[in-house]
């Protein structure tokens, strides 16, 4: 690659080509920058930005940013829309696990990790080939102490650490050898790069206001990006933040199945399997989405439960109808043992979670399925799942 900058779109196309080249034509080692398998906005953007920067600075080896998820799951990351749009990108420009060749000899690869510090899943086999890491989770000690860089420290966003670590290199790319910083002359390519980098920092720190999360590097990196690394008179960080936040809640492009699997977790206790889907719109929205209403929605939930082999299917919603924050909860026991667990949960959690019948019981089925308004607004899945699991353990022990 030449030292002159290119657009992210061109860069990603070059990375895709490098990956698709027949084995004999590969330029070895293939060097990847990969994010956490949670594949959130921080991971996805950090991988792209770091790969771009490392491909442009000495020794200018092409780095392939790898989104750590299958291609079909990328469609679920709806909040990426406004970020990709800022850089004239589409989701199809990103490289996912689905494009990773099956038979890659670990010896022919090198890996830089962002937003995690231990490879997971199918990528674990490349563990000995990790040459660098930038992460904001607890250090698990698997990345070699010789790795370069090896930056593992607490920060609101992993991207802040990427920006901070490469601040000088980035300034150099943006301003060349000029000693004085002339911010009004930065290429469109680099301006777009800086805007992509800014997204996770402001989103993960709620615009740098989440005091429990924000670290000095979040603040300094956001400031650096906005004040020295972009040249865009039109850029409005507040509008950008609002666009991403709105996109997060705009489920209109997703099917009900995708909505149920987008933010999904499962557990097994007492021989009972529970799956909880969190949804950023309420049951009214889901019913409308199901078009033919209640039966269609119940059927969709049932197919999801069958696909995941669930005994208890649960949906938790958050919404803001008329500006009022609300939580709704649906719990459905599909087998005999799990119905006992649901009954136990209902007895136990009704007061704890301040549960009230939702919409006159429209979605209920006596003895197995209940939809509630959950007036205990502080209780997210972190609090609700343990209550359900306790009921499952109890039911498993009292069959
Ligand atoms: C990936 O990120 C999630 C969310 O921050 C975290 O809980 C998990 O530990 C990370 N995975 C690894 C392997 O670090
Ligand atoms: C701005 O950038 C252009 C193209 O890179 C360059 O030719 C020009 O000299 C720069 N102007 C200033 C004031 O740095
Ligand atoms: C984010 O914070 C900045 C500075 O404090 C403020 O000007 C801006 O309006 C905020 N944006 C949002 C979306 O709250
Ligand atoms: C939601 O996204 C769709 C495209 O997927 C768009 O047409 C619509 O305007 C968006 N709605 C809102 C409220 O932003």
């Amino acid at each position: 690659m030449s030292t002159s900058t290119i657009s992210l779109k061109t860069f990603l196309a070059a990375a895709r080509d490098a990956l698709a080249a027949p084995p004999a034509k590969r330029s070895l080692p293939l060097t990847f920058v990969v994010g956490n398998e949670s594949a959130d906005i921080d991971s996805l953007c950090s991988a792209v930005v770091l790969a771009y920067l490392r491909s442009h600075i000495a020794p200018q080896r092409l780095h392939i940013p790898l989104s750590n998820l299958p291609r079909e799951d990328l469609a679920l990351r709806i909040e990426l829309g406004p970020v990709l749009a800022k850089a004239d990108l589409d989701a199809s420009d990103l490289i996912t696990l689905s494009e990773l060749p099956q038979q890659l000899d670990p010896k022919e690869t090198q890996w830089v990790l962002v937003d995690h510090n231990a490879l997971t899943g199918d990528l674990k086999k490349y563990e000995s080939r990790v040459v660098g890491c930038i992460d904001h989770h607890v250090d698990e000690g698997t990345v070699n102490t010789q790795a370069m860089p090896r930056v593992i420290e607490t920060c609101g966003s992993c991207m802040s650490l990427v920006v901070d670590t490469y601040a000088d290199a980035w300034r150099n790319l943006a301003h060349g050898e000029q000693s004085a910083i002339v911010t009004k002359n930065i290429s469109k390519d680099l301006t777009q790069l800086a805007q992509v980098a800014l997204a996770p920092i402001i989103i993960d720190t709620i615009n740098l206001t989440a005091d429990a999360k924000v670290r000095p590097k979040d603040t300094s990196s956001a400031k650096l990006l906005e004040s020295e690394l972009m040249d865009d008179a039109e850029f409005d960080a507040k509008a950008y933040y609002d666009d991403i936040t709105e996109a997060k809640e705009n489920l209109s492009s997703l099917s009900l199945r995708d909505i149920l699997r987008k933010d999904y977790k499962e557990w097994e206790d007492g021989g009972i399997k529970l799956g909880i889907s969190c949804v950023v719109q309420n049951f009214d929205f889901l019913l409308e989405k199901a078009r033919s209403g209640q039966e269609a929605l119940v059927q969709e939930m049932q197919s999801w439960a069958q696909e995941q082999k669930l005994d208890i299917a649960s949906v938790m919603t958050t919404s803001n109808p008329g500006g009022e924050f609300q939580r709704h909860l649906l719990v459905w026991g599909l087998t005999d043992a799990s119905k006992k667990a649901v009954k136990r949960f209902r007895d136990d959690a009704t007061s704890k979670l301040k549960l009230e019948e939702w919409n006159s019981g429209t979605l209920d089925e006596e003895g197995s399925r209940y939809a509630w308004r959950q007036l205990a607004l502080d209780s997210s899945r972190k609090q609700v799942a343990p209550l359900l699991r306790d009921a499952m353990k109890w039911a498993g022990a009292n069959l």
Side-chain angles (χ1 to χ4, degrees):
M1 291 195 120
S2 76
T3 37
S4 65
T5 61
I6 55 177
S7 69
L8 270 170
K9 195 161 186 103
T10 307
F11 167 69
L12 290 169
R16 260 201 321 280
D17 287 350
L19 194 56
K25 295 208 164 157
R26 277 181 195 143
S27 153
L28 298 177
L30 279 178
T31 305
F32 296 94
V33 180
V34 65
N36 184 307
E37 62 190 344
S38 66
D40 59 8
I41 202 167
D42 194 19
S43 261
L44 297 175
C45 295
S46 292
V48 167
V49 169
L50 181 57
Y52 183 99
L53 291 171
R54 283 179 61 106
S55 300
H56 280 82
I57 60 178
Q60 289 190 34
R61 160 165 290 283
L62 176 67
H63 285 55
I64 301 167
L66 186 63
S67 306
N68 197 347
L69 80 179
R71 162 84 33 207
E72 63 157 355
D73 289 2
L74 203 49
L76 303 180
R77 301 299 186 266
I78 44 181
E79 61 277 22
L80 268 184
V83 184
L84 294 175
K86 271 275 180 259
D88 300 324
L89 296 174
D90 297 307
S92 60
D93 290 311
L94 297 177
I95 301 157
T96 69
L97 295 177
S98 307
E99 286 81 58
L100 190 64
Q102 289 291 310
Q103 309 293 345
L104 268 186
D105 183 351
K107 286 203 277 305
E108 299 188 335
T109 67
Q110 281 191 343
W111 296 78
V112 178
L113 313 186
V114 286
D115 202 25
H116 64 323
N117 63 75
L119 281 168
T120 53
D122 288 346
L123 299 180
K124 230 176 151 49
K125 59 176 178 272
Y126 302 109
E127 202 167 66
S128 66
R129 309 296 302 165
V130 172
V131 297
C133 177
I134 298 182
D135 181 27
H136 63 154
H137 292 96
V138 174
D139 191 346
E140 295 178 33
T142 68
V143 176
N144 197 302
T145 51
Q146 310 298 312
M148 274 292 279
R150 192 184 194 290
V151 177
I152 303 177
E153 62 181 66
T154 308
C155 204
S157 155
C158 176
M159 182 68 88
S160 301
L161 299 176
V162 171
V163 174
D164 182 76
T165 306
Y166 287 88
D168 289 338
W170 197 334
R171 278 197 187 97
N172 234 8
L173 269 184
H175 308 288
E177 299 306 315
Q178 306 170 120
S179 47
I181 286 169
V182 184
T183 50
K184 293 294 156 254
N185 200 21
I186 294 168
S187 71
K188 185 176 171 203
D189 299 336
L190 286 175
T191 293
Q192 292 184 335
L193 187 74
Q195 290 173 355
V196 169
L198 187 63
I201 304 179
I202 55 180
I203 292 302
D204 288 356
T205 62
I206 316 180
N207 194 26
L208 300 166
T209 63
D211 291 341
K213 286 183 124 184
V214 180
R215 293 293 178 279
K217 285 181 183 174
D218 291 308
T219 315
S220 60
S221 294
K223 180 156 183 278
L224 177 69
L225 290 168
E226 283 198 80
S227 63
E228 289 186 39
L229 300 176
M230 61 176 83
D231 175 8
D232 180 353
E234 309 277 278
F235 183 69
D236 175 346
K238 176 161 169 34
Y240 190 36
Y241 178 92
D242 290 343
D243 281 352
I244 301 169
T245 313
E246 266 173 46
K248 236 190 236 182
E249 295 180 2
N250 186 349
L251 303 178
S252 68
S253 66
L254 298 182
S255 65
L256 275 170
R257 175 177 176 272
D258 279 348
I259 291 173
L260 293 175
R261 77 190 185 95
K262 185 177 186 327
D263 181 2
Y264 169 79
K265 285 205 168 112
E266 58 184 37
W267 295 266
E268 193 162 341
D269 289 286
I272 296 170
K273 189 172 169 194
L274 160 73
I276 307 183
S277 304
C278 287
V279 179
V280 294
Q281 295 281 357
N282 60 22
F283 294 140
D284 297 296
F285 174 91
L286 295 180
L287 280 168
E288 204 167 300
K289 181 104 194 167
R291 296 244 162 70
S292 41
Q294 173 198 339
E295 257 156 56
L297 176 59
V298 166
Q299 205 147 57
E300 284 287 344
M301 288 193 283
Q302 185 164 28
S303 352
W304 174 247
Q306 277 163 355
E307 188 182 327
Q308 302 305 311
K309 302 195 165 51
L310 298 181
D311 301 300
I312 301 182
S314 174
V315 180
M316 296 186 66
T317 76
T318 48
S319 56
N320 288 284
E324 181 200 0
F325 180 68
Q326 293 191 3
R327 285 186 183 278
H328 301 169
L329 167 66
L330 180 141
V331 175
W332 185 4
L334 295 123
T335 56
D336 286 342
S338 68
K339 283 178 187 157
K340 278 183 82 169
V342 168
K343 180 175 186 312
R344 175 80 174 188
F345 171 78
R346 189 165 163 246
D347 293 345
D348 191 39
T350 299
S351 65
K352 278 187 191 144
L353 296 175
K354 304 199 178 75
L355 301 178
E356 287 184 354
E357 186 177 66
W358 182 78
N359 202 15
S360 326
T362 328
L363 283 172
D364 295 7
E365 186 182 83
E366 186 52 38
S368 68
R369 187 174 64 236
Y370 298 94
W372 294 285
R373 250 191 92 169
Q374 178 191 310
L375 298 179
L377 296 176
D378 288 344
S379 295
S380 66
R381 183 165 55 191
K382 268 202 180 84
Q383 286 74 36
V384 173
L387 293 175
L388 274 163
R389 295 179 64 193
D390 283 345
M392 285 149 58
K393 284 175 205 153
W394 177 87
N398 289 278
L399 269 182

